[in-house]
Amino acid sequence: MDNKDFQEILNKENITDNCQYITPKILAAISEGVMITDLNSRIIDVNPAFEFVTGYKKEEVVGRKPDVLRSGVHGIAFYKKMWRDIDQYGEWQGEIWNRRKTGDIYPEWLKIIRIHDDNHQTLGYCGVFSDLSEEKIVESELKRRTMTDSVTGISNRFAYNERMNVLLNSSKNHNYQHAILFIDLDRFKQVNSTLGHGVGDQLLVEVTKRIQTLLKNKDILARYGGDEFVITFVDIHHPREAIHLGEKIIQLLEQPFFIENQKVYISASIGISLYPHDGDETEILLSKADKAMYYAKENGKNQFAFYFDELKTDAKRALLLDNELRKVIKNNSFELYYQPKVDLKKYQIIGVEALVRWNNDKLGNVSPAEFIPYAEETGLIIPISECIIERACLDAQIMASKGYKAMPIAINISSIHFHQRNFIRSVEQILEKNNLPARQFELELTERTIMENERETIRKLIKLKQMGFKLSIDDFGTGYSSLSYLVQFPLDYLKIDRSFIQQICSLNDKQAVVDAIIQMAHRLQMKVIAEGVEQREQVKLLNKLDCDMIQGYYYSKPLPLNKLMEFLEFWELELEGK
């Protein structure tokens, strides 16, 4: 029986103050709760469903007013409007919160009907209601699932956008500033591909926990998708507050994560936009923070950048970059430039480092700082690395055919490529194809690369050493190498990062660090290469500190193969002249 049928029955029954003519069977047959009052709003009858929902027995409420159920959630204005509608239209319906006998507040859908006789004289009122508690629970859970990231338990992008829209709408009439930080986890895809999605999910949870320690309750944190997080730093007074937060996040995420009894290293690239300086809409602020994040990633990662107008990117260029990059991989038309390494004691060129260059008809000279990060994000870095090794083999053969003695060619190995399961076999196949020995090549790995999944890394490095490769750790001093781990790795060379070399002559602390690194490396039976050497004073000081080799513009910038061979001839002639 629905509410309309019930209303017709009530009107036909000609209700009196004592409600003696209502058939109990009618009330009992209705599954919704029913409460009938007289003109003075005194309860004269209720049905069993009323007793079940409210917890009150009939004898406990008859003669009392309905406000026995009032929850206190609604104000006087709410009830005044309710009774205006009943007086004007004869009924009211809507969602209302009432209180059970136990004191619990619950939601119900209530319809109040004015009961009248044939002359339209009001006899009383009837309320019919249904308990919405279960529906609200389901609705709340569905909304929670819809608005919550299933892995980390924080807001997802939909919830973030909704909260941001509310925040920005309330900020329009106030002099508020907010900072939006768009965070991308560097090398997260590598964690997923090498250690599995289970470890990746645990890593996301731990990242979330660390970030949350830096935020206030009013700040907004969401996982925007994949390995991307977004933070709204609410009500800041100066952009420097966003700077401090960005620095803290980077420092916090640099520390190793311990997942399934192994250390996992990542870093973060962060883009920052400001409200209202960069926009007053959620979509605009996110877009600008995203562009700033990519700028930070393309310029070295593990850093933050603010949005500025020059970051307006060309979507057509991004698409063209992808298409042309796939073509150059297919045709292996990359060019390698080589920078000589000089033995400080013997004044001899004892090797070269291969550096990739790409000159495209449509894009012009494309910087590695642009296409390498893109390749790492898309997975194209693996075929690019194989192309570089292949090209280095071909160049080595050309030099051998022209009578140049073999010297080690150092090749930078991408972390993503190195941690592929078939890495060693793929390199081995390229050498076999070109009939070249492994001893003619030196593989340069960054600190981060060798610190990830140490056990597997050590196994691979030992295998590579057995094959004949020379191994070096690149950019030493910029990562988090532990000496205890460094001892375990079978490395031949340690390359000091250029950031230490640039100020070695002007800052005593830089000189002290370089000195300590050299002494430590020698004790570990490793030779030291200083890169980025540009001044004679640097050469003299490095020689005094017992550095083994140097690499940099002081002797030569990176050269294409034909120029390298000319340089080698010139060097030999100069040595003979001495």
Side-chain angles (χ1 to χ4, degrees), residues 392-408:
C393 287
L394 295 175
D395 288 349
Q397 290 175 336
I398 292 173
M399 291 183 67
S401 68
K402 293 183 178 295
Y404 292 91
K405 67 178 182 179
M407 65 175 66

Side-chain angles (χ1 to χ4, degrees), residues 426-481:
S426 69
V427 173
E428 196 173 34
Q429 288 175 338
I430 295 173
L431 296 184
E432 290 174 354
K433 174 184 173 183
N434 291 278
N435 195 30
L436 285 172
R439 65 176 178 272
Q440 194 163 341
F441 297 92
E442 174 189 331
L443 304 183
E444 291 192 0
L445 306 164
T446 64
E447 284 185 78
R448 259 181 213 285
T449 299
I450 66 173
M451 293 298 288
E452 292 172 1
N453 195 1
E454 295 95 351
R455 195 172 297 175
E456 180 66 17
T457 296
I458 291 173
R459 185 191 67 79
K460 284 186 177 180
L461 292 179
I462 291 174
K463 176 64 175 176
L464 291 168
K465 282 283 289 185
Q466 291 172 345
M467 292 169 64
F469 285 104
K470 295 292 185 181
L471 303 173
S472 68
I473 180 170
D474 195 14
D475 299 333
F476 187 82
T478 60
Y480 306 92
S481 289

Side-chain angles (χ1 to χ4, degrees), residues 468-536:
F469 285 104
K470 295 292 185 181
L471 303 173
S472 68
I473 180 170
D474 195 14
D475 299 333
F476 187 82
T478 60
Y480 306 92
S481 289
S482 165
L483 294 182
S484 61
Y485 285 118
L486 200 58
V487 172
Q488 300 180 53
F489 298 133
L491 302 170
D492 299 288
Y493 304 107
L494 184 152
K495 294 187 74 173
I496 302 176
D497 186 68
R498 66 181 66 246
S499 62
F500 290 96
I501 304 302
Q502 288 172 351
Q503 296 176 309
I504 191 175
C505 295
S506 57
L507 296 178
N508 291 333
D509 58 340
K510 296 287 186 182
Q511 184 180 140
V513 170
V514 171
D515 187 20
I517 291 174
I518 292 172
Q519 300 309 315
M520 175 200 68
H522 286 168
R523 287 183 176 273
L524 295 176
Q525 306 302 311
M526 287 187 286
K527 291 190 175 182
V528 180
I529 305 169
E531 58 181 345
V533 179
E534 299 179 358
Q535 302 169 9
R536 181 171 179 79

Side-chain angles (χ1 to χ4, degrees), residues 307-371:
Y307 175 83
F308 53 95
D309 287 340
E310 286 73 12
L311 288 181
K312 294 176 180 175
T313 57
D314 187 347
K316 291 182 179 179
R317 179 175 176 85
L319 180 61
L320 185 59
L321 177 68
D322 186 272
N323 292 334
E324 294 303 305
L325 194 54
R326 294 178 189 275
K327 288 180 184 177
V328 73
I329 291 171
K330 181 179 180 180
N331 300 325
N332 194 1
S333 51
F334 289 110
E335 184 178 9
L336 294 185
Y337 275 46
Y338 298 92
Q339 189 169 40
K341 298 177 181 179
V342 178
D343 187 310
L344 269 178
K345 308 301 180 185
K346 299 178 181 179
Y347 194 66
Q348 292 179 346
I349 297 175
I350 59 170
V352 293
E353 179 181 0
L355 301 166
V356 66
R357 297 291 184 266
W358 179 27
N359 184 20
N360 181 266
D361 292 338
K362 297 179 180 178
L363 294 167
N365 285 313
V366 187
S367 168
E370 179 180 8
F371 73 83

Side-chain angles (χ1 to χ4, degrees), residues 32-60:
E32 292 88 355
V34 177
M35 175 177 62
I36 301 173
T37 69
D38 59 19
L39 280 172
N40 298 317
S41 295
R42 297 284 178 180
I43 299 173
I44 56 178
D45 206 354
V46 296
N47 71 341
F50 172 96
E51 296 179 321
F52 178 78
V53 173
T54 67
Y56 285 101
K57 296 296 183 181
K58 177 178 177 179
E59 54 269 22
E60 293 179 293

Side-chain angles (χ1 to χ4, degrees), residues 130-315:
S130 56
D131 188 348
L132 297 179
S133 299
E134 291 188 6
E135 288 86 344
K136 285 290 183 181
I137 292 172
V138 173
E139 179 184 328
S140 176
E141 178 61 18
L142 287 174
K143 184 172 183 179
R144 187 192 68 79
R145 293 185 182 185
T146 303
M147 307 299 278
T148 303
D149 175 56
S150 60
V151 175
T152 63
I154 60 175
S155 297
N156 60 19
R157 70 165 63 196
F158 305 106
Y160 175 82
N161 289 339
E162 184 175 285
R163 292 181 65 186
M164 272 295 290
N165 291 338
V166 172
L167 174 67
L168 297 183
N169 186 55
S170 65
S171 300
K172 288 180 179 178
N173 298 324
H174 300 83
N175 191 27
Y176 291 146
Q177 286 190 83
H178 311 304
I180 290 78
L181 286 77
F182 202 103
I183 306 170
D184 183 271
L185 303 182
D186 303 325
R187 287 173 292 279
F188 177 77
K189 291 181 177 63
Q190 177 190 333
V191 174
N192 265 342
S193 62
T194 57
L195 302 180
H197 290 277
V199 172
D201 286 349
Q202 290 182 53
L203 180 59
L204 291 173
V205 172
E206 294 304 317
V207 166
T208 301
K209 290 179 180 177
R210 289 191 185 182
I211 293 176
Q212 285 175 322
T213 63
L214 302 174
L215 304 181
K216 306 182 294 292
N217 289 335
K218 63 181 179 179
D219 298 327
I220 305 172
L221 169 64
R223 181 184 174 204
Y224 211 66
D227 57 352
E228 295 176 335
F229 292 80
V230 62
I231 295 170
T232 298
F233 200 25
V234 176
D235 193 15
I236 64 173
H237 298 92
H238 194 279
R240 72 169 68 92
E241 295 179 49
I243 293 175
H244 293 157
L245 179 60
E247 289 174 339
K248 289 179 180 178
I249 292 172
I250 288 172
Q251 291 169 5
L252 206 56
L253 299 186
E254 283 176 340
Q255 305 305 314
F257 291 84
F258 295 89
I259 299 176
E260 294 188 358
N261 297 320
Q262 59 186 323
K263 288 183 181 179
V264 178
Y265 288 84
I266 60 167
S267 60
S269 298
I270 304 175
I272 305 173
S273 63
L274 299 172
Y275 168 89
H277 181 270
D278 294 318
D280 58 3
E281 295 181 8
T282 302
E283 185 176 349
I284 293 173
L285 291 166
L286 278 173
S287 176
K288 292 184 175 181
D290 185 39
K291 287 181 172 65
M293 180 275 291
Y294 274 103
Y295 178 82
K297 183 177 285 289
E298 290 170 1
N299 285 272
K301 301 181 180 179
N302 197 31
Q303 61 182 316
F304 64 86
F306 280 86
Y307 175 83
F308 53 95
D309 287 340
E310 286 73 12
L311 288 181
K312 294 176 180 175
T313 57
D314 187 347

